[in-house]
């Protein structure tokens, strides 16, 4: 990766636009980045990191987003970082604009614009730039993939922070592990440890679940077998040896007994099926004979009933024939009846209409009635103006009554307001007194609450003190007993050990074999071996006594530990509760609680009192307003009353002429309207009655002619022969039913099998049905028994098969659990096979640290003139697990010592060598991406001239194959030694950069 150009606008301390030409600076291979403290040297490196990853280094991440914008920038200038670089043979340009607040284009205030990013690539064949992406996520993934390292790795490898590596040299193993873990991304090995531990727990749970499932299946088989198996279920628990064999053996016995019961049930069902089939056949024969006999008897009874009703049937046929002839006269009869009904209604309506008319119009014809109605309507039209005046007079009365009611209501309002306002001052004083009492109670409750909490704490501590005092006595007694028991067990073990040592010769002699060498003297002959005496103490007895002694000693230590814990708790409780009696503290706490509750009860009324004050003030305002408005309405109502009285007198004079003899204009109008309606209706009824009389005469003539043609002497005879729909349907139904019944009876009596059955004796159907029901019941019982036996066999087979599969599955699970448990312990460093107690992730990091130390030694030896060498150490740190140790070997003394013992200058070039070595290893880890531009931050001020020359020689050697190194430093001597420089100058309007190439 090589940097070419960096453009910075309104970023960090840079208020304007600044440009850094890395191609010019890199021409010399080594260039210096310097400037006063706070000018913005580190901000140049932050800009490079932000352009690539969209974020600044970890220690300065609080400046993300809006915080990256320069305080010196003009309001209209947007923050922007543009970086041009070459990586993996591709020339890219990355542009990033963080979010910023700008003034709104319309209105006042500001608005926040979102962050934007661009990625372009230079096309050498076309000689122009082409756009690749404007997505933050896609650009980040592309840059990370090309560089092959994360932002943390880039900041450690390209922007070498010397202070971090100086701390790395002096840090402990845990701190080194955290840094190396971030750089080399070894979390996957920690995930392996976690996954192994999870698999171990899962395998253990599966094994236990397998045993539990096997026992559950056994209990279910026992429930299914019921009383068919006399042998009891094995009394075993999960994990007991022989569990699987016992369960499977018992299951085989249960299956055998179930199959035997199934065979018996099957035989019984076959016998019941045969008996039921015979009973069903006999029942079918009896039912058929019984049906035919009853059929023949019913047919004879139906024939007798037909003979009895033969005369009525002949009358029905005669009546049906006359009805069919009368149907031709039915239309004329209907027409005549309809017209006659209309004539009666019209005559009645005419009589009613004439009865309502005055006597003067009793004999008038239709034309005279129409003329009289027209005259009355003309008179009615002339009363419209008088009717409006009468309605207005009624409205004036209502308005005058309304004024009277309003006046009485206002008088009531004035009296009520005056009465309430008279007691206003007393009411307000009472409410204010309630508020004062509630506020005083609230203050008193707060004071009591402050006193209440410490009192209850002291009470709780006193009660705990009393309990712990008893616990301390009990723990002390247990500690003394455990100490005595431990002493006795120790003495017992020493006695047995001494006895064994006294008889050890007999124990050794027991292992002698003729012709083989003695383990003590080497002789092959054993003429007089020692023999065990009575009461000989062997090794097993001594070890049991030792185990008893150790167990007793552990119990003693545990008892003393518990005693110490209880004593510490007692001391803490006593310190908090002092020596005050618990009863007295309880009385004090209860008294404070009572006073506090009383004060809170009084203070709880503060809100209600304040609301009451607000309510009374609102009521006072409402009463004053009502009093003023009522007085105003009373003053304005007098003039309105006089105006209404004058208008009423005028209207009464006009109406007296229009009413005439009627009580009112409305009554006169009603009389005229009624007269017009009666005359019009009477004229219409007279014309209608005359027309219907003419139509009735025509209907009578038509009816007489139709009856004669149908064969009836008179129309009345034809009308009598007619049948309505219900009578006609009923008569036809009786005729059809007779015909069907007669045909059906003759057909039954002609059946040969029915007549033959009638000649046979009667059968007993109930007895045959009882026999069949009994056979069916026996079949159901045997079928239920067989089904239960079948289900029992199937369930036992299924449970036995599942139990067998569970046993077969459990064997490899146990092997898997043993293997995973060994691997999990080895990866976690808790296994006895892991001698150095190193976790898997620590082991991988130790290998990486060894590579880093080897790469750093190449440069450290040159910087120190061959004196120092960095080596990795995996010795265990104290009593813990093996750490990530880092030592330095001093060639002058030949001794290896910790890196924390290096001096300031030695620490600088050692940390520089470590940083460069780490850069090489991380680069190889990232896929071998070449880093053509590096930055080294500070630390050169601690070097003498000779060491500085050696360090610069090493850095100068990094220029091989066109590599450039930038040094960030305040050291003035470096400005004389390094000609290519980038200076950051700070001022009141922001910082600016000044660049000088090697030629200058």
């Amino acid at each position: 990766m090589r940097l070419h150009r960096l453009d910075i606008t309104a970023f960090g301390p840079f208020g304007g636009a600044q440009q850094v030409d890395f191609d010019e600076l890199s021409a010399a291979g080594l260039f210096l980045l310097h400037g006063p403290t706070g000018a913005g040297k580190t901000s140049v490196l932050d800009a490079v990191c932000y352009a690539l990853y969209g974020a600044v280094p970890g220690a300065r991440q609080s400046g993300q987003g809006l915080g990256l914008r320069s305080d010196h920038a003009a309001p209209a200038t947007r923050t922007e970082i543009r970086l041009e670089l070459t990586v993996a043979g591709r020339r890219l340009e990355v542009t990033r604009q963080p979010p910023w607040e700008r003034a709104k284009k319309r209105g006042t205030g500001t608005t926040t614009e979102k962050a934007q990013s661009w990625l372009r690539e230079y096309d050498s064949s076309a000689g122009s730039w082409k756009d690749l992406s404007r997505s933050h996520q896609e650009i980040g993934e592309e840059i990370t993939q090309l560089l092959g390292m994360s932002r943390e790795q880039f900041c450690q490898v390209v922007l070498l922070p010397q202070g971090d590596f100086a701390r790395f040299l002096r840090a402990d193993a845990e701190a080194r592990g955290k840094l190396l873990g971030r750089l080399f991304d070894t979390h996957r090995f920690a995930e392996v440890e976690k996954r192994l531990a999870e698999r171990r727990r899962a395998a253990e749970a599966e094994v236990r679940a397998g045993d539990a499932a096997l026992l559950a299946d056994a209990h279910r088989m026992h429930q299914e077998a019921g009383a068919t198996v006399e042998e009891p279920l094995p009394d075993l628990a999960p994990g007991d040896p022989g569990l699987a064999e016992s369960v499977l053996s018992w299951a085989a016995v249960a299956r055998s007994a179930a199959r035997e019961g199934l065979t018996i049930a099957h035989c019984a069902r076959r016998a019941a099926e045969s008996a039921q089939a015979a009973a069903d056949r006999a029942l079918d024969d009896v039912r058929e004979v019984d049906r035919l006999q009853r059929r023949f008897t019913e047919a004879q009874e139906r024939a007798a009933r037909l003979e009895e009703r033969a005369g009525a049937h002949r009358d029905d046929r005669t009546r049906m024939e006359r009805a069919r002839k009368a149907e031709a006269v039915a239309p004329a009869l209907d027409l005549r009846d309809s017209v006659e009904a209309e004539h009666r209604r019209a005559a009645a309506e005419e009589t009613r209409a004439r009865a309502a008319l005055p006597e003067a119009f009793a004999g008038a014809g239709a034309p005279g009635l129409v003329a009289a109605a027209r005259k009355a309507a003309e008179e009615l039209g002339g009363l419209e103006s008088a009717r409006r005046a009468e309605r207005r007079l009624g409205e004036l009365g209502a308005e005058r009554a309304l004024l009277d009611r309003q006046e009485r209501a206002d008088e009531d309002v004035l009296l009520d307001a005056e009465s309430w306002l008279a007691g206003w001052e007393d009411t307000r004083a009472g409410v204010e007194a309630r508020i004062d009492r509630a506020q005083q109670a609230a203050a008193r409750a707060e004071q009591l609450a402050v006193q209440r909490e410490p009192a209850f704490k002291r009470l709780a501590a006193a009660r705990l003190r009393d309990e712990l005092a008893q616990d301390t006595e009990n723990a002390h007694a247990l500690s003394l007993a455990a100490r005595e028991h431990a002493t006795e067990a120790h003495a017992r073990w020493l006695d047995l050990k001494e006895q064994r040592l006294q008889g050890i010769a007999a124990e050794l002699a027991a292992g002698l074999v003729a012709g083989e060498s003695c383990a003590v003297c080497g002789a092959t002959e054993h003429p007089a071996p020692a023999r065990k005496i009575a009461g000989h103490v062997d090794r097993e007895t001594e070890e049991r006594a030792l185990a008893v002694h150790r167990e007793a000693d552990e119990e003693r230590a545990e008892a003393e530990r518990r005693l110490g814990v209880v004593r510490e708790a007692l001391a803490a409780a006593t310190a908090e509760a002092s020596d005050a009696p618990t009863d007295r503290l309880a009385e004090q706490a209860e008294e404070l609680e009572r006073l506090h509750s009383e004060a809170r009860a009084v203070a709880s009324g503060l809100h209600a009192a304040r609301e009451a004050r607000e309510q009374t003030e609102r009521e006072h305002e409402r009463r004053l307003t009502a009093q003023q408005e009522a007085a105003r309405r009373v003053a304005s109502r007098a003039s309105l009353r006089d105006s209404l009285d004058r208008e009423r007198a005028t209207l009464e004079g006009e109406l007296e002429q229009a009413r005439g003899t009627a009580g009112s204009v409305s009554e006169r109008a009603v009389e005229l309207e009624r007269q017009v309606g009666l005359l019009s209706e009477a004229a219409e009824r007279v014309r209608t009655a005359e027309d219907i009389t003419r139509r009735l005469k025509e209907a009578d003539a038509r009816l007489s002619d139709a009856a004669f043609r149908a064969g009836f002497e008179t129309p009345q005879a034809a009308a009598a022969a007619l049948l309505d729909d219900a009578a006609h349907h009923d008569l036809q139904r009786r005729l059809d039913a007779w015909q069907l019944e007669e045909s059906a009876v003759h057909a039954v009596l002609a059946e040969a099998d029915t007549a033959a059955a009638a000649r046979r004796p009667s059968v007993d159907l109930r007895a045959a049905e009882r026999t069949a029901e009994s056979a069916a019941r026996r079949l159901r019982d045997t079928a239920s028994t067989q089904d239960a036996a079948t289900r029992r066999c199937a369930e036992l087979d299924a449970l036995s098969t599942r139990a067998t599969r569970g046993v077969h599955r459990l064997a490899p699970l146990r092997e898997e659990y043993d293997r995973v448990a060994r691997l999990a312990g080895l990866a976690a460093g808790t296994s006895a096979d892991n001698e150095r107690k190193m976790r898997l992730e620590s082991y991988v990091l130790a290998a990486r640290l060894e590579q880093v130390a080897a790469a750093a030694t190449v440069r450290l030896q040159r910087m120190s003139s061959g004196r120092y060498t960095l080596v990795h150490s995996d010795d265990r740190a104290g009593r813990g697990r093996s750490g990530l140790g880092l030592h330095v070997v001093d060639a002058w003394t030949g001794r290896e010592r910790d890196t924390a013992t290096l001096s300031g200058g030695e620490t600088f070039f050692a940390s520089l060598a470590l940083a460069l070595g780490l850069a090489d290893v991380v680069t190889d880890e990232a896929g071998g991406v070449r880093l053509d531009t590096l930055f080294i931050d500070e630390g050169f001020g601690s070097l003498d001239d000779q060491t500085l020359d050696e360090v610069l020689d090493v850095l100068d050697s990094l220029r091989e194959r066109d590599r450039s190194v930038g040094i960030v430093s305040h050291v003035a001597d470096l400005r004389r030694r390094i000609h290519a420089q980038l200076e950051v100058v700070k001022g009141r309007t922001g910082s600016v950069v000044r660049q000088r190439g090697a030629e200058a």
Side-chain angles (χ1 to χ4, degrees):
M1 181 199 73
R2 173 175 290 278
L3 305 181
H4 298 293
R5 191 182 77 254
L6 175 66
D7 295 328
I8 306 174
T9 304
F11 179 83
F14 305 108
Q18 306 295 321
Q19 186 180 86
V20 179
D21 189 351
F22 286 109
D23 288 337
E24 180 183 359
L25 293 173
S26 301
L30 196 65
F31 63 91
L32 178 66
L33 175 59
H34 68 95
T37 301
K41 301 186 297 299
T42 306
S43 296
V44 175
L45 308 182
D46 290 347
V48 173
C49 183
Y50 186 78
L52 293 175
Y53 294 96
V56 297
R60 298 179 290 279
Q61 285 189 25
S62 59
Q64 299 290 359
L66 298 174
L68 296 176
R69 180 170 175 80
S70 175
D71 296 333
H72 303 286
T77 303
R78 179 157 190 178
T79 304
E80 181 179 274
I81 306 296
R82 181 180 290 109
L83 176 65
E84 187 178 335
L85 72 158
T86 298
V87 57
R90 300 170 61 184
R91 185 151 183 158
L92 304 174
E93 181 188 76
V94 186
T95 304
R96 293 190 186 270
Q97 293 179 350
W100 74 303
E101 287 190 1
R102 63 167 178 81
K104 293 183 178 179
K105 295 181 180 179
R106 296 180 180 178
T108 59
T110 61
T111 182
T112 302
E113 288 196 4
K114 297 181 179 180
Q116 298 186 21
S117 300
W118 294 269
L119 178 62
R120 301 196 301 170
E121 183 177 4
Y122 184 75
D123 188 353
S124 57
S125 60
S128 60
W129 293 90
K130 63 177 181 179
D131 294 332
L132 295 182
S133 177
R134 297 193 63 175
S135 169
H136 301 294
Q137 183 176 1
E138 291 180 359
I139 295 174
E141 293 176 354
E142 182 73 14
I143 294 296
T144 303
Q145 183 176 2
L146 290 174
L147 293 177
M149 61 185 76
S150 63
R151 176 171 57 85
E152 291 78 6
Q153 291 174 320
F154 177 84
C155 295
Q156 292 288 346
V157 174
V158 179
L159 312 177
L160 301 177
Q162 289 303 295
D164 289 351
F165 282 94
R167 288 191 296 272
F168 183 81
L169 286 173
R170 295 183 174 89
D172 55 10
E174 182 178 0
R176 288 195 185 111
K178 290 181 180 179
L179 175 60
L180 295 174
R182 290 197 306 270
L183 293 179
F184 292 107
D185 193 18
T186 58
H187 70 278
R188 59 185 182 277
F189 298 101
E191 286 295 324
V192 170
E193 299 174 19
K194 181 180 178 182
R195 289 292 299 277
L196 285 173
E198 291 176 353
R199 287 188 59 186
R200 177 185 60 79
R201 290 192 293 270
E204 183 180 4
E206 288 182 357
V207 171
R208 291 184 177 275
D211 283 346
L214 184 61
L215 278 178
D217 289 340
H219 286 293
R220 287 190 60 187
M221 285 189 286
H222 185 265
Q223 292 176 356
E224 289 295 334
T228 59
V229 182
E230 298 180 356
E231 183 179 349
L233 189 67
D235 186 12
L236 296 173
D240 290 349
L243 173 63
E245 292 78 3
S246 300
V247 170
L248 294 180
S249 298
W250 187 91
V253 174
R255 291 198 305 275
S256 176
R259 288 192 179 90
E260 182 179 353
L262 177 60
T263 301
I264 297 172
H266 179 70
C267 295
R269 179 174 180 176
R270 293 291 298 273
E273 287 176 348
S274 300
Q276 188 199 23
D280 288 344
R281 288 193 299 271
L283 178 61
D284 291 340
D285 293 341
V286 172
R287 282 177 175 171
E288 181 63 17
V289 173
D290 180 71
R291 184 184 69 81
L292 293 175
Q293 290 178 347
R294 284 187 289 104
R295 179 179 176 83
F296 186 81
T297 302
E298 290 174 358
Q300 288 179 331
E301 293 174 354
R302 289 161 64 188
R305 286 194 297 270
L306 287 175
E307 185 62 28
E308 292 175 357
R309 293 187 287 111
H313 174 63
R314 287 190 296 272
D315 295 340
D316 289 341
R317 281 189 300 179
T318 302
R319 187 179 180 190
M320 179 60 74
E321 290 174 0
R322 287 181 59 80
R324 289 194 179 103
K325 292 179 181 181
E327 287 178 358
V329 189
L333 284 171
D334 293 341
L335 177 62
R336 203 275 178 188
D337 293 341
S338 175
V339 174
E340 185 179 10
E342 291 182 9
H343 183 266
R344 286 195 298 271
R345 288 195 297 272
E349 290 293 335
E350 179 184 2
T351 303
R352 182 185 59 77
R354 287 185 178 278
L357 294 176
E359 294 182 359
F361 302 103
L369 295 174
V370 170
R374 186 181 301 114
K375 181 179 179 181
E378 292 175 355
E379 184 180 357
L380 178 63
L383 292 178
E384 184 62 28
S385 175
R387 294 175 70 178
R388 286 196 298 270
E390 189 175 46
R391 285 196 299 270
R392 176 57 184 162
L393 183 61
E395 293 174 355
L396 290 177
E399 292 178 5
R400 179 60 185 269
L402 177 62
L403 288 178
D404 294 340
R405 289 196 301 273
Q406 290 176 349
E407 185 172 5
R408 289 193 297 273
D410 287 340
E411 290 176 355
D412 295 339
V413 170
L414 290 173
L415 292 175
D416 184 55
E418 291 175 359
S419 174
W420 191 91
L421 292 174
W424 159 242
E425 293 299 333
D426 295 338
T427 303
R428 182 172 60 181
V431 173
E432 293 294 340
R434 284 179 58 194
I435 295 175
D436 292 341
R437 287 195 301 272
Q439 288 177 342
Q440 293 173 3
R444 187 166 63 256
E446 292 179 359
Q447 296 173 357
L448 291 172
V450 174
Q451 302 173 11
R452 175 175 165 270
E453 185 175 358
F456 276 98
K457 285 184 177 180
R458 288 188 62 192
L459 176 60
R463 291 171 175 170
L464 179 61
R465 176 197 62 195
D466 298 342
E467 295 177 0
L468 291 175
Q470 183 62 38
D471 293 345
T472 302
E473 295 178 1
N474 297 337
H476 181 66
L478 292 175
S479 176
L480 291 178
R483 188 179 304 168
E484 293 177 0
H485 179 58
T487 302
E488 294 175 357
H490 184 255
R492 171 66 177 167
W493 170 61
L494 292 177
D495 292 342
L496 293 175
K497 184 176 183 180
E498 183 178 359
Q499 294 177 22
R500 183 177 174 231
L501 291 175
Q502 292 175 359
I504 195 66
E507 195 170 323
L508 293 174
L512 294 177
V513 179
E516 295 183 3
S517 300
C518 176
V520 179
C521 63
T524 58
E525 296 181 359
H526 319 294
R531 298 186 180 277
K532 296 180 181 179
I533 63 175
H536 174 74
V537 178
D538 54 7
R539 181 184 183 86
E540 183 179 359
T541 303
E542 180 193 351
E543 290 179 349
R544 285 200 302 269
L546 177 59
V548 172
H549 159 59
R550 289 176 177 172
E551 183 180 357
D553 192 58
E554 291 177 357
E555 293 177 354
R556 176 196 57 77
E558 178 64 20
E560 291 179 352
R561 185 192 65 78
R562 286 198 297 267
L563 177 60
V565 170
V566 174
R567 283 177 173 172
E568 290 178 2
L570 177 61
T574 303
E576 184 174 358
S578 71
D579 295 331
T582 305
D583 296 340
R584 184 160 56 85
L585 293 177
E587 293 176 358
Q588 294 175 357
E590 291 175 358
E591 180 64 18
L592 288 174
E593 179 67 20
R594 184 185 63 78
L595 296 176
H596 179 258
S597 300
E598 293 176 354
R600 285 187 59 188
V602 177
S604 63
L606 177 60
H607 179 70
R610 288 174 176 172
E611 288 186 347
R613 179 176 62 184
E614 294 176 359
Q615 184 177 0
T616 54
E617 290 176 351
R618 288 195 300 269
E619 181 66 16
H620 176 258
E621 184 67 22
R622 187 184 68 80
R623 297 282 184 163
L624 283 176
T625 303
Q627 186 183 36
Q628 295 170 359
E629 291 179 353
R632 178 181 54 78
R633 288 194 300 271
V634 169
S636 63
R637 195 175 293 116
S639 60
L640 180 59
R641 185 185 299 106
D642 295 339
S643 175
L644 292 177
D645 291 343
R646 287 192 299 271
E647 184 180 2
R648 181 174 183 178
T650 302
L651 291 174
E652 286 177 349
E654 295 177 358
L655 291 175
E656 186 175 355
Q657 297 177 356
R659 282 195 300 267
T661 59
S664 64
V665 175
S666 298
E667 292 179 2
R668 178 59 180 165
V670 169
E671 291 177 359
L672 292 176
E673 288 176 355
R674 180 173 177 278
Q675 185 176 357
V676 170
L678 292 175
L679 291 172
S680 299
E681 182 182 4
E684 180 65 26
R685 298 305 180 196
V686 169
R687 285 196 295 267
T688 301
E690 293 173 351
D691 183 62
I692 292 176
T693 300
R694 179 181 52 79
R695 288 168 53 200
L696 179 59
K697 293 178 180 180
E698 294 175 355
D700 286 337
R702 188 179 301 172
L703 174 61
S704 298
D705 184 61
F708 178 77
R709 286 198 300 270
F712 293 97
E713 295 180 357
T714 62
Q716 290 75 14
L722 278 175
L723 296 175
D724 57 14
D725 290 342
H728 184 276
H729 288 316
D730 182 62
L731 182 58
Q732 186 64 46
R733 179 184 57 78
R734 292 200 303 270
L735 293 173
D736 293 341
W738 172 276
Q739 187 67 29
L740 291 174
E741 180 69 7
E742 185 178 24
S743 300
V745 169
H746 291 165
V748 172
L749 293 176
E751 293 175 355
D753 54 349
T754 304
R759 292 191 292 271
R760 295 177 58 181
S762 299
V763 295
D764 190 355
L765 178 61
R766 297 300 301 168
E769 288 177 347
R770 287 194 295 271
T771 302
E773 288 176 0
S774 177
R777 188 165 50 254
R778 285 198 303 274
L779 178 59
R780 287 195 300 271
D781 295 340
T782 55
S784 299
T785 304
Q786 183 183 359
D787 292 342
T790 302
R791 184 188 57 77
R792 183 183 300 110
C793 289
E795 189 68 20
L796 289 175
D797 289 341
L799 291 173
S800 298
T801 302
R802 189 167 70 180
T804 303
R805 286 199 301 267
V807 169
H808 292 164
R809 188 180 66 253
L810 202 56
L813 286 178
R814 289 189 185 279
E815 297 177 0
E816 174 71 11
Y817 168 68
D818 295 338
R819 181 171 65 257
V820 171
R822 289 195 301 271
L823 288 175
L826 187 63
T830 59
S831 173
D833 297 333
N834 192 332
E835 297 179 357
R836 295 187 177 276
K837 303 299 182 183
M838 291 184 69
R839 294 172 49 244
L840 179 59
E841 185 180 15
S842 300
Y843 178 78
V844 175
L845 291 178
R848 293 290 187 270
L849 183 58
E850 189 172 358
Q851 295 175 359
V852 171
T857 296
V858 176
R859 295 182 174 88
L860 180 58
Q861 287 182 341
R862 185 173 177 182
M863 292 180 189
S864 63
S865 301
R867 179 178 179 184
Y868 293 117
T869 301
L870 282 174
V871 295
H872 163 253
S873 172
D874 58 359
D875 293 337
R876 296 178 64 179
R879 299 180 61 185
R881 301 179 180 180
S882 299
L884 299 172
L886 192 63
H887 293 173
V888 63
V889 178
D890 190 344
W892 291 3
T893 62
R895 299 186 62 184
E896 179 179 332
R897 55 193 172 97
D898 193 271
T899 54
T901 62
L902 294 174
S903 64
E906 293 170 341
T907 298
F908 168 73
F909 58 72
S911 62
L912 176 60
L914 184 65
L916 295 174
L918 181 63
D920 292 341
V921 175
V922 172
T923 301
D924 294 339
E925 179 77 11
V929 177
R930 176 177 171 79
L931 301 177
D932 296 321
T933 305
L934 298 175
F935 294 92
I936 301 173
D937 189 7
E938 294 299 348
F940 294 88
S942 60
L943 305 179
D944 54 37
D945 292 340
Q946 181 180 357
T947 305
L948 182 61
D949 289 336
E950 294 172 347
V951 171
L952 291 178
D953 289 342
V954 172
L955 296 178
D956 193 54
S957 67
L958 298 176
R959 294 184 299 173
E960 298 172 0
R961 294 183 295 175
D962 200 23
R963 175 180 285 185
S964 62
V965 179
I967 297 177
V968 184
S969 178
H970 294 280
V971 178
D973 192 31
L974 290 176
R975 282 179 253 173
R976 296 189 298 271
R977 296 171 183 254
I978 303 175
H979 300 290
Q981 298 180 8
L982 181 66
E983 182 181 7
V984 183
V985 181
K986 66 179 179 180
R988 291 183 177 272
T989 59
S991 299
V992 296
V993 297
R994 297 175 182 173
Q995 185 169 327
R996 183 176 68 179
E999 294 78 4

